[in-house]
C-alpha cells in the first residue's frame, strides 16, 4: 500500500503518483539483477530526467521543477523504496548541482545549470580523500594557479558515479589563497589528466558505482572556479546539509521496503497453526519497525520544512541523517530476523536491504560525526555572547 503522505499541493500529489508509477514500472523490476551484476543503470537517470523528477528542487529559471524540499525528498524516498542505488544517485546528483546553483556566477548558472539539472547530464561530488573523509579540511589534492587558469593534482576518494559522471563538483586545496584554503571547481571528464580508478568492490549498493578520481596535472580553465577562491569549505558544508536530507530520505525509503517485506511475509508464514504476525514476539518487532520508519520520516520532514522556510536547519539535517540511517540499519536487520532463515538467503531482498543500509550510517558524514555536529550546535547555542 502507498505511504499515507501529507503533501502541500495537488501538484505534489500528482508528482508522487507519477514517481510511484515510474518506479514500479522501470525501477523495481530491474533492481535485483543490476545489484547482483554490479551494473550501473545510466539509462534510468535519463528516464527520470525526461520525466522531470531529477530537477525538482531547482528553480524554474534554470529549468528546474521549483518544488520545495519537502516534496523533493518524498520523491527520493519513493524511488528508494524500489531501488536504493538510484535514489542515492538522484540525491548525489542534486548535491553535485548545489555549488553552481547556490554559489555559481551568473554565467555559470545560465550556461551550465540548465543541462545539469535536467537529468541528461549526471553529476558527482568530490570532497573526500583516502586519508581525509570525516576531516575534509585535511585534503591534499591541490589546484595551483598558472596565470591563465589552474593545474589540479591529487586524488579524490569514494566518488559516487566516479567514471560515469558528466561533471564533478570538486574541492581542492588552493595554496595561493592560504595554507588551509580550499576552493570549489566544476570539472568535466574531457579535461586531460582526469581519470577514474577501478570501481570499489562494495558490500552493498553495488548498482551504484563508487571510484576514486585521479587528477594528473589537469588543466582547469579559469571559468571553472565556483564561488570565491579560498571559500570552498563553506560551499562544501552548506551542500552537505542538504545532502544529508537526501540520504535521510533514501534511508527511510529502504526501511519502508524492509518493513513492507517483513509484514507481508509474517502474514503468510505460519507457525503453530497461525500466521507468525499473530505471535506477540513478531507482532511487537513489526510494531517497533513501523515506529522507527514513521519517526524517521517525520524527522527528515521537519528539517526539510525548516529549509523551505529559510530557517537554519544544519542541526536538524544532522539529526535527520542520524535518526533515519540508524533506523534503516535496525529495521533491515529486523526484517532479516522476521524472515528467519529465508531472510538470510538471496531468495528474498531482505539480506540486500541490510547490506545497503549499513553504508548509510557512514557516507555524507558518519553518524559519529553527526553526533559531534549536533552536540557542538547545542553547546554553541548555550554559550552567552562575549562582553
Amino acid at each position: 500500500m502507498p505511504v499515507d503522505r501529507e503533501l502541500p499541493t495537488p501538484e505534489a500529489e500528482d508528482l508522487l503518483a507519477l514517481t510511484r508509477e515510474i518506479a514500479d514500472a522501470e525501477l523495481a523490476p530491474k533492481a535485483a539483477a543490476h545489484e547482483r551484476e554490479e551494473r550501473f543503470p545510466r539509462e534510468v537517470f535519463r528516464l527520470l530526467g525526461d520525466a522531470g523528477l531529477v530537477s525538482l528542487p531547482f528553480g524554474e529559471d534554470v529549468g528546474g521543477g521549483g518544488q520545495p524540499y519537502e516534496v523533493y525528498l518524498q520523491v527520493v524516498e519513493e524511488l528508494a523504496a524500489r531501488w536504493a542505488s538510484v535514489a542515492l544517485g538522484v540525491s548525489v546528483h542534486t548535491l553535485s548541482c548545489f555549488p553552481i546553483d547556490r554559489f555559481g556566477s551568473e554565467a555559470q548558472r545560465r550556461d551550465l545549470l540548465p543541462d545539469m539539472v535536467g537529468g541528461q547530464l549526471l553529476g558527482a561530488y568530490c570532497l573526500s580523500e583516502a586519508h581525509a573523509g570525516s576531516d575534509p579540511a585535511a585534503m591534499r589534492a591541490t589546484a595551483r594557479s598558472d596565470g591563465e587558469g589552474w593545474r589540479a593534482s591529487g586524488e579524490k576518494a569514494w566518488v559516487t558515479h566516479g567514471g560515469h559522471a558528466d561533471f564533478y563538483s570538486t574541492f581542492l586545496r588552493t595554496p595561493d589563497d592560504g595554507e588551509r584554503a580550499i576552493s570549489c571547481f566544476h570539472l568535466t571528464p574531457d579535461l586531460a589528466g582526469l581519470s577514474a580508478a577501478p570501481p570499489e568492490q562494495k558490500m552493498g549498493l553495488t548498482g551504484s558505482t563508487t571510484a576514486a578520481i585521479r587528477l594528473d596535472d589537469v588543466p582547469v580553465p579559469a571559468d571553472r572556479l565556483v564561488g570565491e577562491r579560498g571559500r570552498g569549505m563553506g560551499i562544501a558544508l552548506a551542500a552537505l546539509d542538504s545532502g544529508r536530507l537526501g540520504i535521510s530520505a533514501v534511508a527511510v525509503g529502504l526501511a519502508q521496503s524492509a518493513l513492507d517485506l517483513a509484514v507481508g511475509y509474517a502474514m503468510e508464514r505460519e507457525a503453530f497453526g497461525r500466521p507468525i504476525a499473530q505471535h506477540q514476539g513478531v507482532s511487537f518487532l513489526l510494531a517497533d519497525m513501523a515506529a522507527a520508519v514513521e519517526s524517521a520520516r517525520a524527522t527528515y520532514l521537519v528539517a526539510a520544512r525548516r529549509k523551505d522556510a529559510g530557517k537554519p536547519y544544519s542541526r536538524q539535517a544532522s539529526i535527520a541523517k542520524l535518526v533515519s540511517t540508524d533506523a534503516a540499519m535496525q529495521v533491515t536487520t529486523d526484517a532479516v530476523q522476521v524472515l528467519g532463515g529465508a531472510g538470510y538467503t538471496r531468495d528474498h531482498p531482505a539480506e540486500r536491504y541490510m547490506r545497503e543500509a549499513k553504508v548509510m550510517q557512514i557516507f555524507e558524514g558518519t553518524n559519529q560525526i553527526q553526533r559531534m555536529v549536533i552536540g557542538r550546535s547545542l553547546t554553541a547555542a548555550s554559550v552567552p555572547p562575549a562582553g
Side-chain angles (χ1 to χ4, degrees), residues 43-76:
E43 71 287 349
V44 169
F45 294 100
R46 294 190 182 95
L47 172 69
L48 296 177
D50 290 341
L53 298 181
V54 174
S55 64
L56 292 178
F58 301 99
E60 294 177 349
D61 60 320
V62 293
Q67 290 296 311
Y69 245 66
E70 172 188 2
V71 173
Y72 156 70
L73 291 176
Q74 293 185 78
V75 167
V76 170

Side-chain angles (χ1 to χ4, degrees), residues 100 112 116 121-124 126 152 163-170 185-196 213-215 218-221 223-224:
I100 285 185
L112 299 176
M116 291 166 60
L121 300 181
L122 187 65
C126 302
H164 292 283
D166 300 295
F167 64 91
Y168 298 86
S169 292
T170 306
F185 296 88
H186 177 81
L187 304 184
T188 49
D190 60 310
L191 295 173
L194 188 154
S195 63
I213 295 298
R214 295 165 176 166
L215 305 171
V218 176
V220 181
D223 62 3
R224 298 293 186 89

Side-chain angles (χ1 to χ4, degrees), residues 111-125:
D111 298 339
L112 299 176
L113 205 52
D115 287 338
M116 291 166 60
V117 306
Q120 295 308 304
L121 300 181
L122 187 65
Y125 190 79

